[in-house]
Amino acid sequence: ITIEQLLNHTSGIVSYTSKQDFSAKMRTDMKPMEIIQLTTKDTLEFKPGSKWNYNNTGYIILGYIIEKLSGQTYEEYVHQHLFAPAGMNSSFYGSESKIIRNRAKGYEREKNVLQNSDYISMTLPYAAGSLLSTVEDLWKWNKALYSYKLIKKESVDKATTPYLLPTGKSTRYGYGLSINLVQGSKAIEHGGGIPGFLTDAIYLPNEDVFVAVFSNCDCKSPDNVTYKIAALTIGKPLN
């Protein structure tokens, strides 16, 4: 299994969030290696590189690799090498104990009644989703990424190029980013979800249009809204 296969979800490793007992572990604080060990005894879903299946375990392993290579915690690395250079002053690694100004509360809908979302330890999403941010900071991230302030142009190009399976079929996925179309325009997109929150962000590079929508309820994905706003902005509204 290669680092590239961890990045593009073709490793075949079982995703720890898809295991039946995952919900029972959501309140448990875990170290990165403890999360990785949740799937070490599982048989691979397929031969690495042969298929595509979204996999959160791969991103846990990638975060652990960053710690081993940098000598920093994942939180320290992300702040120093990503948030700070991009000017993302309202973005943080998730923490229950820290006081974070204007932090939103997450909700869920149970039988059409809104209620507080289930608790999840922020140690559990780790490098697969423990970041807190704002719409404005995501715009700063997108601007820094595509001005090649954080990584080289060659790396951005690789991250936004769909991986082709041995059969020649496109996965429509690069490194942590989906490649789609909005009314015929190339669109780089990704969504996110955690108990109480759903997000979606989309970038149309040819038109330089960036849209991000956050929801502090895991009731309904905002991806349809991002698509509509992006299409409207380029003068090609969806019906």
Side-chain angles (χ1 to χ4, degrees), residues 17 40-41 60 96 127 208:
T17 53
T40 52
K41 294 182 180 180
I60 300 297
E96 292 87 2
D208 193 26

Side-chain angles (χ1 to χ4, degrees), residues 182-185 204 207-209 228-237:
V182 172
Q183 298 292 68
S185 293
L204 279 56
E207 295 85 353
D208 193 26
V209 169
K228 285 184 176 180
I229 294 174
L232 188 63
T233 303
I234 63 173
K236 298 177 182 179

